[in-house]
Amino acid sequence: MTANIYRTHHCNELRPEHIGQTVTLSGWVNSARDHGGVIFIDLRDREGMTQVVFRPEENPETAQASHHLRDEDVIQLTGKVSKRLEGTDNTNLATGQIEIVVSGFTVLNKSSVLPFQLDVELSNEDLRLKYRYLDLRRPRMNRNLRLRHKIVKAARDFLSSKENDFVEVETPILSKSTPEGARDFLVPARLNPGKFYALPQAPQQYKQLLMVAGLEKYFQIARCFRDEDLRADRQPEFTQIDIEASFITEEDIYRLVEGLLKEMFQAAGHMNIPLPFPRITWKEAMDRYGSDKPDTRFGNEITDLCDVFAKSEFKIFRNTLDNGGVVRGVNAKGFAGITTGQMIRLNEVAHEVGLPKEVKQLAFIKYEGGEFKSPLWKFFTDEEKAALIKKVNLEEGDIVFFVAGPWESTCTILGRVRLEVAAMMETTKNSSALNFLWVYDFPLLAFSEEDQKWNAVHHPFTRPKSEDMHLLDTGSAGTLAGQSSNAAKGGSAPSLAQIRAVAYDVVLNGTELGGGSLRIHESDLQAKMFGILGVSEEDQKEMFGHILEAFQFGAPPHGGLALGLDRIVMLAAGEDSIREVLAFPKNNRGQELMTQSPGVADFRQLRDLYIASTFKPKAKEEGAAPQAN
RNA sequence: GGAGCUGUAGCUCAAUUGGUUAGAGCGCCGCCCUGUCACGGCGGAGGUUGCGGGUUCGAGCCCCGUCGGUUCCGCCA
């Protein structure tokens, strides 16, 4: 710290070797202990705390004035570093062997009583957000912000190092709307009446065009914007570490990102991160974990039971199997003691993610007290029972949940059940494991029943695997829906659904940290993709003409990835919400409660922008006059 | 858009089957206190139980509506 008129040292600096020196400190009153005579103050700054003492017998006027100090007053004081009295050292304080005997002080700013205490956990998040500048004074929040800085710095340093040599480039925030993906935030363009900028959902096109520009290695700590509903790990504006490089393969990306994440987590104090990360295909992730972002910190994997029930006479299983569906289960080890409430909750969860309404009750078998308990048991033959017990390793105290249906939704449902059981059993509660994982070979396309068309799973610039490239021609407009249902039944006819992308996600403990892909760099292939996605040639020209044209001027093969910085910091900090690692986050409705954004716009502002709001506030009651509050 | 949880003093929470004047801790204010470190002691202030309606002799508690918060589903290329 550089000494200046406010202070010669910070509050976590003075040690016994400073005894005898006259020092000046500035900071906040963390607590005041007024004994009537002698008064103690813990003075706090961002580095730590130092006890200061006011002694009436040495400086009567100063001591008298100190009676009026209250918590969170900002003061500047001068005094002599002294050894504490015998037996009064405080081992909880780094500066606990010394204290400052104050000769004089100034109140720089008096504090009113705070709306909440800084030393007590607060459950009212509204209040925390309204007074965020006070909330951030608390050590935990202060630590989180500084941790975030360290992690970002580690990322910058790693990518900028001589060895990696990436170039940080800023791309526009005022950008252009794209048809695919999330809802855009729009900004009216005053100089172009009737037109709008869109805030970027990601710098995707810009970074690819930087590759065409010959930059070869680009990164950016990029703010991204998506106007969708919020979650604990989703804010309307968030930060990505955005990376793109030319003349590389996915192996280069894996190696780079593994090194990068290791550096970032090490900066946060997590030292044991073995490389390389394990890899799993999307298909296997779905098969075993029912998720494209598996949490591998615990077992209870999904077991396929099609062979066990291949000859089953049980109607539901029979029909499912005959229609190309699957029967699968999850053995929740040691969860036979499930409560009624938990069972109800599990059913809700299963229905939320697609268990058909007709299936009233998630099927189960539990083995408890040497007895098999199940509504289904009576439908199974002895061979089936024996095969089942063996296949899922059903032991005393276990409960197995079953789902029968199409492969993907069956896996998804069981995957959610698996996670919910783990949450109920608090399986990962005290785990410090960091299970990094690559998920690769994602499908390129998914058929949307809602839109009745094929959509890009990752984004429209994603490169199909070369061995699947020929399948791009299997899609012709009239047969798309038919192919989709064929794929859903696990049919083997050539289908757009079977095309794999050179796309990969990096996952940590069941959270997607980021994802990327190799890109299309050929204009004809890119045009073909847009065609499959149902973007008309006219729209292609209008919305993507620049990128299609760019790909005709010597575009290098390229690819990249984006990492969700907020989530990374959240996990590194051990927090459950990214709001805890953002200085000024928004609440569930996208409001920032401290400044009260978003706010209303003045009629003149709107007029300048050539826009008018069509919003009509709901009338409270018929005939009731609107009330000001 | 849907579901769960939730709303009581400045903060964190309590209040038996619906039953007297809605309590506690912390904080705040006043007085006392010269070695504390979450200092201590004594005293005090502070509440339209989110809001509106209903049931009841009686509602913080039950019912309906509404508003806010939060978690999840939908959504998030």
Side-chain angles (χ1 to χ4, degrees):
Chain A
M1 197 204 75
T2 309
N4 65 7
I5 59 158
Y6 282 108
R7 48 190 177 187
T8 56
H9 299 79
H10 62 68
C11 288
N12 195 19
E13 195 170 359
L14 297 168
R15 298 291 183 273
E17 66 255 33
H18 297 97
I19 286 169
Q21 293 184 19
T22 295
V23 298
T24 299
L25 300 178
S26 287
W28 288 261
V29 174
N30 197 68
S31 72
R33 297 178 291 279
D34 186 340
H35 290 253
V38 69
I39 296 116
F40 298 97
I41 300 277
D42 287 337
L43 192 72
R44 183 194 76 234
D45 65 16
R46 73 169 204 183
E47 302 299 334
M49 270 199 301
T50 300
Q51 173 166 286
V52 302
V53 54
F54 299 84
R55 290 196 181 124
E57 67 274 22
E58 294 184 29
N59 296 290
E61 280 174 30
T62 301
Q64 183 55 36
S66 76
H67 285 296
H68 298 110
L69 289 173
R70 293 291 179 271
D71 286 0
E72 300 305 313
D73 286 347
V74 175
I75 64 174
Q76 174 187 18
L77 57 85
T78 298
K80 190 176 270 185
V81 183
S82 310
K83 183 168 169 49
R84 288 200 180 190
L85 295 190
E86 194 65 31
T88 62
D89 285 6
N90 185 350
T91 51
N92 296 323
L93 230 51
T95 58
Q97 285 178 277
I98 57 98
E99 63 191 7
I100 313 297
V101 179
V102 180
S103 51
F105 75 93
T106 315
V107 176
L108 300 174
N109 188 245
K110 186 100 189 116
S111 176
S112 298
V113 176
L114 266 45
F116 51 84
Q117 289 164 254
L118 300 185
D119 56 352
V120 177
E121 277 297 309
L122 200 59
S123 64
N124 186 341
E125 202 166 347
D126 257 17
L127 199 65
R128 291 180 59 197
L129 292 176
K130 181 174 176 189
Y131 296 100
R132 189 61 162 179
Y133 47 87
L134 297 179
D135 191 40
L136 293 176
R137 272 187 202 168
R138 295 151 72 222
R140 169 178 152 214
M141 300 306 289
N142 196 285
R143 177 193 75 112
N144 287 353
L145 290 184
R146 297 177 78 176
L147 190 71
R148 184 177 179 122
H149 165 73
K150 280 190 206 166
I151 291 170
V152 172
K153 182 172 187 303
R156 269 211 171 87
D157 289 348
F158 177 83
L159 291 167
S160 314
S161 69
K162 206 164 211 166
E163 190 187 343
N164 291 314
D165 210 14
F166 278 71
V167 180
E168 186 169 6
V169 181
E170 291 167 277
T171 55
I173 294 293
L174 294 176
S175 182
K176 191 180 170 184
S177 179
T178 49
E180 299 239 1
R183 202 173 286 118
D184 287 313
F185 281 100
L186 291 178
V187 180
R190 179 181 57 86
L191 298 176
N192 298 271
K195 293 190 174 171
F196 296 84
Y197 299 102
L199 305 184
Q201 296 176 26
Q204 183 61 36
Q205 294 188 49
Y206 289 113
K207 73 173 173 178
Q208 289 190 244
L209 291 162
L210 285 171
M211 295 302 103
V212 180
L215 207 73
E216 298 202 20
K217 292 175 167 189
Y218 143 94
F219 84 100
Q220 182 178 191
I221 314 290
R223 194 64 66 87
C224 305
F225 306 86
R226 296 180 190 174
D227 188 7
E228 297 292 347
D229 286 3
L230 288 77
R231 288 284 190 283
D233 62 354
R234 267 166 37 191
Q235 287 268 306
E237 56 179 305
F238 59 99
T239 305
Q240 285 188 344
I241 299 184
D242 195 43
I243 298 172
E244 195 79 6
S246 300
F247 308 118
I248 45 128
T249 67
E250 60 269 41
E251 292 298 329
D252 299 307
I253 307 255
Y254 291 156
R255 205 175 321 120
L256 178 79
V257 172
E258 284 169 359
L260 172 61
L261 284 170
K262 184 176 177 126
E263 285 292 317
M264 291 170 76
F265 276 84
Q266 280 184 349
H270 299 278
M271 300 319 284
N272 185 26
I273 297 165
L275 300 186
F277 300 162
R279 299 182 196 178
I280 186 173
T281 62
W282 174 82
K283 180 81 170 40
E284 190 182 352
M286 291 303 294
D287 249 348
R288 290 168 58 191
Y289 303 99
S291 168
D292 59 5
K293 43 180 179 176
D295 190 339
T296 59
R297 286 174 298 173
F298 55 95
N300 293 356
E301 292 183 21
I302 297 169
T303 309
D304 187 82
L305 300 170
C306 290
D307 52 348
V308 172
F309 296 109
K311 294 175 187 155
S312 177
E313 294 302 316
F314 178 46
K315 214 169 28 178
I316 295 169
F317 286 6
R318 184 75 269 142
N319 287 343
T320 302
L321 292 170
D322 288 348
N323 286 307
V326 297
V327 178
R328 323 195 97 208
V330 157
N331 185 356
K333 301 296 285 181
F335 200 47
I338 183 173
T339 65
T340 308
Q342 287 171 326
M343 188 61 105
I344 289 169
R345 177 66 198 139
L346 222 45
N347 261 304
E348 281 176 5
V349 167
H351 283 109
E352 270 175 5
V353 294
L355 187 67
K357 269 187 234 129
E358 311 85 78
V359 184
K360 291 276 185 297
Q361 165 79 41
L362 186 65
F364 68 89
I365 289 173
K366 62 178 167 181
Y367 187 36
E368 199 176 22
E371 273 182 72
F372 295 97
K373 298 173 186 168
S374 166
L376 298 179
W377 208 231
K378 57 177 180 266
F379 298 114
F380 300 164
T381 66
D382 289 344
E383 295 91 81
E384 284 167 355
K385 289 176 186 170
L388 173 69
I389 289 165
K390 187 159 176 239
K391 188 93 188 259
V392 301
N393 184 28
L394 181 56
E395 298 175 305
E396 172 67 28
D398 293 352
I399 178 166
V400 180
F401 298 97
F402 295 92
V403 175
W407 172 77
E408 192 169 337
S409 75
T410 298
C411 292
T412 303
I413 294 162
L414 288 171
R416 278 288 305 198
V417 167
R418 173 178 176 269
L419 288 178
E420 196 63 33
V421 166
M424 287 170 176
M425 296 180 80
E426 299 186 329
T427 306
T428 57
K429 196 180 177 192
N430 296 313
S431 167
S432 60
L434 292 176
N435 282 19
F436 289 94
L437 184 70
W438 285 106
V439 180
Y440 67 105
D441 274 0
F442 274 81
L444 182 72
L445 299 159
F447 191 80
S448 163
E449 294 296 337
E450 191 190 332
D451 303 340
Q452 283 296 302
K453 73 177 206 64
W454 291 93
N455 285 335
V457 168
H458 185 52
H459 57 53
F461 312 104
T462 305
R463 187 168 197 79
K465 284 190 89 161
S466 49
E467 52 266 54
D468 294 349
M469 204 76 85
H470 64 282
L471 294 169
L472 283 174
D473 298 316
T474 62
S476 60
T479 61
L480 295 180
Q483 284 181 0
S484 146
S485 61
N486 187 9
K489 287 175 194 165
S492 56
S495 164
L496 295 177
Q498 292 172 329
I499 303 172
R500 290 164 299 170
V502 191
Y504 32 78
D505 278 2
V506 59
V507 172
L508 171 57
N509 296 349
T511 299
E512 181 192 329
L513 293 187
S517 60
L518 295 193
R519 327 293 187 192
I520 295 167
H521 64 277
E522 306 94 326
S523 58
D524 50 347
L525 181 57
Q526 185 64 67
K528 184 187 266 187
M529 268 301 295
F530 283 135
I532 290 168
L533 295 170
V535 183
S536 71
E537 285 191 26
E538 204 171 300
D539 286 350
Q540 286 181 37
K541 212 169 177 184
E542 156 75 20
M543 291 181 293
F544 301 106
H546 53 286
I547 204 162
L548 290 170
E549 191 177 17
F551 287 170
Q552 294 174 349
F553 291 123
H558 60 281
L561 160 144
L563 295 170
L565 177 69
D566 310 280
R567 287 181 188 176
I568 288 170
V569 179
M570 173 184 87
L571 291 167
E575 295 287 357
D576 291 327
S577 165
I578 60 172
R579 292 189 297 268
E580 304 298 341
V581 297
L582 285 163
F584 301 105
K586 293 177 172 61
N587 72 3
N588 253 359
R589 286 209 294 170
Q591 301 166 326
E592 195 270 276
L593 296 176
M594 192 179 69
T595 61
Q596 298 269 302
S597 83
V600 293
D602 184 68
F603 132 82
R604 267 176 298 248
Q605 286 179 298
L606 294 178
R607 189 187 56 192
D608 285 352
L609 297 168
Y610 305 96
I611 57 176
S613 174
T614 60
F615 175 70
K616 299 265 189 300
K618 253 192 273 179
K620 283 282 177 204
E621 257 174 67
E622 220 165 319
Q627 288 191 333
N629 47 346

